[in-house]
mmCIF file of all heavy atoms in Angstrom:
data_model
loop_
_atom_site.group_PDB
_atom_site.id
_atom_site.type_symbol
_atom_site.label_atom_id
_atom_site.label_comp_id
_atom_site.label_asym_id
_atom_site.label_seq_id
_atom_site.Cartn_x
_atom_site.Cartn_y
_atom_site.Cartn_z
ATOM 1 N N MET X 342 -51.473 20.727 58.632
ATOM 2 C CA MET X 342 -50.976 19.571 57.875
ATOM 3 C C MET X 342 -51.050 19.887 56.399
ATOM 4 O O MET X 342 -52.043 20.375 55.888
ATOM 5 C CB MET X 342 -51.819 18.330 58.180
ATOM 6 C CG MET X 342 -51.350 17.096 57.433
ATOM 7 S SD MET X 342 -52.346 15.655 57.909
ATOM 8 C CE MET X 342 -51.611 14.455 56.841
ATOM 9 N N THR X 343 -49.951 19.662 55.768
ATOM 10 C CA THR X 343 -49.913 19.919 54.323
ATOM 11 C C THR X 343 -49.925 18.600 53.581
ATOM 12 O O THR X 343 -49.328 17.612 54.012
ATOM 13 C CB THR X 343 -48.638 20.705 53.963
ATOM 14 O OG1 THR X 343 -47.521 19.943 54.354
ATOM 15 C CG2 THR X 343 -48.609 22.071 54.677
ATOM 16 N N SER X 344 -50.574 18.636 52.458
ATOM 17 C CA SER X 344 -50.626 17.411 51.636
ATOM 18 C C SER X 344 -49.575 17.484 50.535
ATOM 19 O O SER X 344 -49.295 18.556 49.998
ATOM 20 C CB SER X 344 -52.026 17.252 51.025
ATOM 21 O OG SER X 344 -52.312 18.357 50.207
ATOM 22 N N SER X 345 -48.950 16.366 50.250
ATOM 23 C CA SER X 345 -47.956 16.325 49.174
ATOM 24 C C SER X 345 -48.644 16.089 47.842
ATOM 25 O O SER X 345 -49.627 15.360 47.769
ATOM 26 C CB SER X 345 -46.941 15.203 49.443
ATOM 27 O OG SER X 345 -47.602 13.960 49.475
ATOM 28 N N ILE X 346 -48.129 16.728 46.821
ATOM 29 C CA ILE X 346 -48.692 16.604 45.476
ATOM 30 C C ILE X 346 -47.784 15.686 44.670
ATOM 31 O O ILE X 346 -46.571 15.948 44.529
ATOM 32 C CB ILE X 346 -48.801 17.980 44.802
ATOM 33 C CG1 ILE X 346 -49.695 18.900 45.644
ATOM 34 C CG2 ILE X 346 -49.327 17.863 43.385
ATOM 35 C CD1 ILE X 346 -49.742 20.328 45.140
ATOM 36 N N PRO X 347 -48.297 14.599 44.152
ATOM 37 C CA PRO X 347 -47.449 13.685 43.362
ATOM 38 C C PRO X 347 -46.843 14.425 42.164
ATOM 39 O O PRO X 347 -47.483 15.300 41.575
ATOM 40 C CB PRO X 347 -48.423 12.597 42.911
ATOM 41 C CG PRO X 347 -49.581 12.694 43.846
ATOM 42 C CD PRO X 347 -49.691 14.130 44.226
ATOM 43 N N THR X 348 -45.655 14.110 41.851
ATOM 44 C CA THR X 348 -45.009 14.727 40.679
ATOM 45 C C THR X 348 -44.746 13.680 39.617
ATOM 46 O O THR X 348 -44.471 12.525 39.921
ATOM 47 C CB THR X 348 -43.682 15.404 41.091
ATOM 48 O OG1 THR X 348 -43.059 15.910 39.928
ATOM 49 C CG2 THR X 348 -42.736 14.404 41.765
ATOM 50 N N ARG X 349 -44.822 14.132 38.368
ATOM 51 C CA ARG X 349 -44.537 13.239 37.234
ATOM 52 C C ARG X 349 -43.194 13.583 36.602
ATOM 53 O O ARG X 349 -42.886 13.163 35.489
ATOM 54 C CB ARG X 349 -45.655 13.359 36.189
ATOM 55 C CG ARG X 349 -47.020 12.901 36.706
ATOM 56 C CD ARG X 349 -48.097 13.086 35.642
ATOM 57 N NE ARG X 349 -47.780 12.345 34.427
ATOM 58 C CZ ARG X 349 -48.036 11.029 34.264
ATOM 59 N NH1 ARG X 349 -48.580 10.337 35.243
ATOM 60 N NH2 ARG X 349 -47.731 10.432 33.135
ATOM 61 N N GLU X 350 -42.384 14.388 37.349
ATOM 62 C CA GLU X 350 -41.095 14.813 36.791
ATOM 63 C C GLU X 350 -40.190 13.636 36.403
ATOM 64 O O GLU X 350 -39.588 13.630 35.331
ATOM 65 C CB GLU X 350 -40.364 15.707 37.789
ATOM 66 C CG GLU X 350 -39.117 16.391 37.219
ATOM 67 C CD GLU X 350 -39.449 17.290 36.038
ATOM 68 O OE1 GLU X 350 -40.567 17.845 35.997
ATOM 69 O OE2 GLU X 350 -38.596 17.422 35.149
ATOM 70 N N PRO X 351 -40.080 12.581 37.224
ATOM 71 C CA PRO X 351 -39.244 11.433 36.801
ATOM 72 C C PRO X 351 -39.748 10.814 35.509
ATOM 73 O O PRO X 351 -38.961 10.411 34.656
ATOM 74 C CB PRO X 351 -39.345 10.472 37.987
ATOM 75 C CG PRO X 351 -39.640 11.353 39.148
ATOM 76 C CD PRO X 351 -40.542 12.422 38.610
ATOM 77 N N ASP X 352 -41.075 10.717 35.336
ATOM 78 C CA ASP X 352 -41.617 10.152 34.100
ATOM 79 C C ASP X 352 -41.252 11.013 32.907
ATOM 80 O O ASP X 352 -40.937 10.515 31.826
ATOM 81 C CB ASP X 352 -43.133 10.020 34.208
ATOM 82 C CG ASP X 352 -43.544 8.937 35.200
ATOM 83 O OD1 ASP X 352 -42.684 8.087 35.496
ATOM 84 O OD2 ASP X 352 -44.703 8.964 35.656
ATOM 85 N N ARG X 353 -41.318 12.345 33.116
ATOM 86 C CA ARG X 353 -40.955 13.238 32.009
ATOM 87 C C ARG X 353 -39.489 13.076 31.631
ATOM 88 O O ARG X 353 -39.134 13.069 30.466
ATOM 89 C CB ARG X 353 -41.231 14.693 32.415
ATOM 90 C CG ARG X 353 -42.704 15.044 32.591
ATOM 91 C CD ARG X 353 -42.881 16.549 32.645
ATOM 92 N NE ARG X 353 -44.223 16.892 33.000
ATOM 93 C CZ ARG X 353 -44.635 17.242 34.207
ATOM 94 N NH1 ARG X 353 -43.746 17.262 35.213
ATOM 95 N NH2 ARG X 353 -45.896 17.555 34.444
ATOM 96 N N ARG X 354 -38.650 12.956 32.659
ATOM 97 C CA ARG X 354 -37.225 12.768 32.376
ATOM 98 C C ARG X 354 -36.980 11.455 31.649
ATOM 99 O O ARG X 354 -36.177 11.379 30.717
ATOM 100 C CB ARG X 354 -36.419 12.814 33.681
ATOM 101 C CG ARG X 354 -36.271 14.210 34.261
ATOM 102 C CD ARG X 354 -35.097 14.266 35.228
ATOM 103 N NE ARG X 354 -35.275 13.327 36.344
ATOM 104 C CZ ARG X 354 -35.827 13.667 37.505
ATOM 105 N NH1 ARG X 354 -36.261 14.909 37.696
ATOM 106 N NH2 ARG X 354 -35.932 12.779 38.480
ATOM 107 N N ASP X 355 -37.636 10.402 32.074
ATOM 108 C CA ASP X 355 -37.474 9.106 31.417
ATOM 109 C C ASP X 355 -37.936 9.164 29.967
ATOM 110 O O ASP X 355 -37.287 8.607 29.071
ATOM 111 C CB ASP X 355 -38.258 8.031 32.171
ATOM 112 C CG ASP X 355 -37.621 7.696 33.517
ATOM 113 O OD1 ASP X 355 -36.450 8.075 33.714
ATOM 114 O OD2 ASP X 355 -38.305 7.060 34.342
#
Side-chain angles (χ1 to χ4, degrees):
M342 180 177 178
T343 59
S344 61
S345 61
I346 301 174
T348 176
R349 296 178 58 82
E350 190 60 30
D352 290 341
R353 292 194 188 99
R354 286 200 300 267
D355 289 345

